[in-house]
Amino acid sequence: MITTLLVANRGEIARRILRTCRDLGVATVAVHSDPDAHAPHVREADAAVRLPGAAPADTYLRGDLLVAAAKTAGADAVHPGYGFLSENAGFAREVIGAGLTWVGPRPRAIELMGSKVEAKRLMAEAGVPVLAELDPAAVTEADLPVLVKASAGGGGRGMRVVRSLADLPAAVESARSEAAAAFGDPLVFCERYVESGRHIEVQVLADAHGTVWALGERDCSVQRRHQKLVEETPAPGISAALRRSLHEAAIRAAERIDYVGAGTVEFLVAPDGGFAFLEMNTRLQVEHPVTECVTGLDLVERQIRIAEGRPLEGRPPAPDGHAVEARLYAEDPARDWAPGTGTVLRFEVPGTDAVFRSPDRAGIRVDSGVEDGSEVGAHYDAMLAKVVAWAPEREDALRRLAGALARARLHGPVTNRDLLVRVLRHPAFLQGEVHTRFLEEHAADGLTAPQAGPGTVRLAALAAALAESAARRARAAVLGAVPAGWRNLPSQPRRARYATRGAEVEAVYRSTRSGPSADGVVVVAVDPDRVVLEVDGLRHPFTVTRHPGLICVDSALGAVELTPLDRFPDPADEIDPANLVAPMPGTVRRVEVREGERVEAGRVLLWLEAMKMEHRVTAPAAGTVTRLPVAPGTQVGKGTVLAVVSPDGPDEASEPTE
């Protein structure tokens, strides 16, 4: 029996494992890097051990430190969660070698599936369909398009789609660099890229006594940069025959490597219904909550029981209803998925029915790694939380999830919430017409655009200004003072300026004896935290929340974050538009240009790694690179100048590029 379990992870998955342990009566130990010292998972564990440092390589990726932490805390078992060392056979062996129980598959199974090249060979032997492996040096025009893939790791890193032979060398080099940085292994290979394929995976659970369960499939086709955004089960629109074939293939895959524990076998399903093995994740998946919702199982509990040697009894439960999960990331889809960092000022999903557990009835589950006050840094993955809906029918689950996300109050780092809502409400998605190029195919529908358009932003600015005015009056009333800006006679309109998403917006209103007024808008009600405005006969309530240096306005029209601007800004504070600055802390991985080189608008200048992903820094306009103060390996902070591109003059713009 496991009595004390160390969770060798952080954030949302650590909290998820801790919840099950509390239910089972298992004592828990957390580990934390220095930035995570006050993280929720640390507070919720029975004990915690510090891993000195900040970078994953110095903390959560140090197997020796994790084993030592377990021994220090008196733990008798280790659960790796997902990511970090969860699929590291060497770490599993360290844990077992230290006399601890490893809550995961046998090290040999991890090793066999850790190389995608070796995994494909084994699956072919087991009769599981696979895509042919291509040597990058031997790819021909007839093979295109191809997908460059890292042999190790996952999560979309080290993957590139190539449609032209001319682009192949750069794609291979880029994939190798990213794979080496992420997994310590630069080996990549190519395989045929299936246009409009579906990413469908099967959850398996296997005990040490030879029993393997297939617990249904999940469709994970809606992705960005090969990383999943929305997952659901059952997969919509597939035939009973295909479902059965996928389940049988997954069981054969698990049996071939003598698998034990929870794992996922991933497949690529072509438009004609044919499918091929992609990889096997020898760990718990991020999207495991949707399977828990429809089966009623606690997969972490099952992992622990299997690690204790207990058998799977009876038959796997039949799925009930439909579940869909959306991943909330701290990133901006409208700005090439740039990650967001900073303090989470408010994290609230109204109507949440369950936290880290499946709801007892149709409703919303939230698994979150953050809460109010949490810090989001650049060292770790950008995922903040998973919001899951369960309902008897797919349509009901999608509607519940979209509504919960739309009403969520997410203040602080920018998120992909608006994109998720647009996807869940898109006609093609509602019809189950999903595939891995869904975002690209429907890009013209504005999926990545903020929900709040220019008109909503103007209304939000007006609501913010009116709420602030009401707050000033309330403060003055308490002090018995005259409110700032008060006039006995009619005066000029009141103005308030704000910055939002790189632009400026101005709110203009008048204070009259009968209350505030604004052109084209009826001001119905004003309080310090709530404003109701009427436009064209339709009333819109706005909730206004003031944080230091930031005003967040939430409404059914979309969320808007506003930074108040001084009425008379200091010209010295303005940033030269020729300076390209780091949008977040990170590490410069590759530099594609040199000083003195002329570049066109959109040219990639360098690659910045942050939050476990590589991000492009591009030229905002045609010009000449006049300064390049960074080199590969340079650590930079937010706002650091990465390059200076002096724009072309009127005569230079027409000159050909050398």
Side-chain angles (χ1 to χ4, degrees):
M1 294 285 289
I2 292 173
T3 60
T4 303
L5 182 142
L6 178 135
V7 183
N9 218 295
R10 65 179 297 278
E12 165 267 327
I13 186 56
R15 300 182 76 190
R16 165 69 188 88
I17 297 166
L18 295 174
R19 194 277 298 166
T20 289
C21 287
R22 286 195 296 271
D23 290 350
L24 295 177
V26 175
T28 55
V29 180
V31 291
H32 67 87
S33 64
D34 290 337
D36 280 341
H38 303 290
H41 78 277
V42 177
R43 294 198 306 272
E44 293 169 4
D46 296 315
V49 178
R50 176 189 175 220
L51 305 175
D58 301 326
T59 54
Y60 299 106
L61 291 175
R62 285 282 302 274
D64 57 335
L65 295 183
L66 295 169
V67 171
K71 302 291 280 187
T72 298
D76 53 10
V78 172
H79 193 305
Y82 53 70
F84 293 131
L85 295 176
S86 63
E87 294 180 281
N88 186 298
F91 177 53
R93 289 192 175 99
E94 283 186 75
V95 171
I96 296 169
L100 305 171
T101 298
W102 169 252
V103 184
R106 297 182 176 113
R108 180 57 178 162
I110 298 175
E111 203 164 53
L112 291 173
M113 294 295 99
S115 166
K116 294 185 178 68
V117 174
E118 177 66 8
K120 290 174 73 168
R121 184 186 67 79
L122 290 172
M123 292 303 100
E125 289 181 0
V128 177
V130 299
L131 291 173
E133 177 192 341
L134 302 173
D135 181 345
V139 171
T140 67
E141 195 77 38
D143 297 320
L144 298 175
V146 296
L147 182 64
V148 181
K149 298 179 69 171
S151 180
R157 293 181 293 279
M159 297 177 68
R160 304 286 187 274
V161 176
V162 178
R163 302 180 184 280
S164 166
L165 286 180
D167 297 333
L168 184 60
V172 169
E173 180 184 353
S174 174
R176 282 176 175 155
S177 172
E178 190 172 30
F183 316 122
D185 183 353
L187 180 62
V188 300
F189 65 96
C190 293
E191 64 185 19
R192 181 172 60 88
Y193 180 64
V194 178
E195 300 279 8
S196 302
R198 293 177 66 175
H199 187 140
I200 298 180
E201 62 190 26
V202 178
Q203 175 72 59
V204 295
L205 198 62
D207 63 22
H209 308 280
T211 300
V212 181
W213 284 358
L215 296 174
E217 78 290 339
R218 299 182 288 249
D219 188 295
C220 309
S221 298
V222 178
Q223 306 176 359
R224 62 97 169 98
R225 294 182 176 177
H226 309 292
Q227 194 159 37
K228 304 163 189 173
L229 289 176
V230 180
E231 302 103 343
E232 59 180 314
T233 186
I238 69 171
S239 67
L242 176 56
R243 177 172 287 114
R244 184 169 56 253
S245 295
L246 290 169
H247 292 186
E248 291 172 351
I251 291 173
R252 287 201 302 275
E255 291 175 339
R256 175 64 181 81
I257 60 171
D258 196 20
Y259 196 78
V260 173
T264 303
V265 185
E266 303 195 344
F267 299 98
L268 183 65
V269 179
D272 63 3
F275 67 91
F277 171 84
L278 282 176
E279 63 184 4
M280 183 174 186
N281 294 130
T282 53
R283 54 171 167 78
L284 198 65
Q285 287 282 85
V286 176
E287 55 273 22
H288 76 274
V290 296
T291 297
E292 293 186 325
C293 285
V294 299
T295 62
L297 297 176
D298 181 328
L299 291 179
V300 175
E301 177 184 351
R302 293 288 174 158
Q303 285 184 295
I304 292 173
R305 292 186 182 278
I306 289 171
E308 291 176 330
R310 306 191 198 190
L312 294 171
E313 297 179 342
R315 297 179 59 81
D320 177 26
H322 198 95
V324 58
E325 170 184 293
R327 300 190 190 188
L328 271 172
Y329 285 101
E331 63 185 13
D332 191 347
R335 297 186 179 181
D336 197 26
W337 311 96
T341 58
T343 303
V344 177
L345 303 171
R346 178 70 54 83
F347 183 88
E348 178 186 340
V349 182
T352 298
D353 298 284
V355 178
F356 295 110
R357 66 177 73 244
S358 300
D360 296 328
R361 55 185 175 82
I364 298 295
R365 165 179 172 168
V366 175
D367 288 17
S368 171
V370 300
E371 54 190 23
D372 291 4
S374 293
E375 290 294 326
V376 178
H379 291 294
Y380 312 118
D381 189 90
M383 192 175 74
L384 302 177
K386 304 176 307 196
V387 184
V388 187
W390 178 86
E393 302 293 336
R394 179 176 187 264
E395 293 79 5
D396 294 333
L398 298 183
R399 182 168 55 192
R400 285 176 182 271
L401 182 55
L405 289 168
R407 293 190 300 273
R409 300 177 72 185
L410 309 173
H411 302 166
V414 64
T415 74
N416 66 336
R417 179 258 305 274
D418 290 352
L419 166 78
L420 296 172
V421 173
R422 289 184 185 275
V423 168
L424 292 166
R425 291 174 172 170
H426 194 279
F429 187 85
L430 292 172
Q431 293 296 320
E433 298 171 359
V434 292
H435 50 76
T436 55
R437 296 188 65 251
F438 185 90
L439 296 186
E440 292 90 339
E441 180 174 301
H442 299 288
D445 299 332
L447 293 177
T448 59
Q451 194 75 15
T456 297
V457 171
R458 288 191 292 271
L459 290 176
L462 177 59
L466 293 173
E468 178 58 28
S469 177
R472 287 197 299 267
R473 290 196 301 272
R475 290 193 295 267
V478 171
L479 298 174
V482 176
W486 184 86
R487 297 289 186 273
N488 190 39
L489 298 172
S491 184
Q492 296 298 313
R494 304 290 299 275
R495 299 177 183 273
R497 294 172 56 247
Y498 304 97
T500 178
R501 301 187 65 84
E504 287 189 17
V505 60
E506 185 177 57
V508 181
Y509 66 97
R510 290 180 174 80
S511 296
T512 70
R513 294 183 183 277
S514 58
S517 67
D519 292 343
V521 179
V522 178
V523 180
V524 178
V526 176
D527 290 302
D529 59 359
R530 187 173 187 272
V531 174
V532 180
L533 304 176
E534 182 178 308
V535 180
D536 297 331
L538 190 62
R539 292 187 177 186
H540 302 283
F542 296 85
T543 301
V544 181
T545 307
R546 283 175 293 280
H547 303 285
L550 185 70
I551 300 176
C552 298
V553 183
D554 294 289
S555 75
L557 300 175
V560 179
E561 293 195 347
L562 303 164
T563 301
L565 296 176
D566 292 337
R567 292 182 62 191
F568 306 104
D570 185 347
D573 293 336
E574 295 186 7
I575 298 176
D576 187 340
N579 291 347
L580 300 182
V581 300
M584 79 294 285
T587 302
V588 177
R589 284 299 174 200
R590 299 190 306 284
V591 177
E592 305 284 352
V593 295
R594 62 185 186 278
E595 286 190 7
E597 183 175 348
R598 188 178 177 280
V599 295
E600 295 294 335
R603 166 78 181 276
V604 176
L605 306 179
L606 54 88
W607 294 82
L608 184 68
E609 183 184 284
M611 289 184 168
K612 298 169 67 177
M613 298 289 285
E614 287 193 344
H615 306 274
R616 301 180 304 168
V617 176
T618 61
T624 301
V625 180
T626 55
R627 186 173 170 231
L628 199 59
V630 297
T634 304
Q635 301 279 337
V636 299
K638 183 177 181 178
T640 300
V641 175
L642 303 175
V644 178
V645 178
S646 300
D648 287 339
D651 296 331
E652 298 172 291
S654 59
E655 292 182 5
T657 304
E658 294 183 1

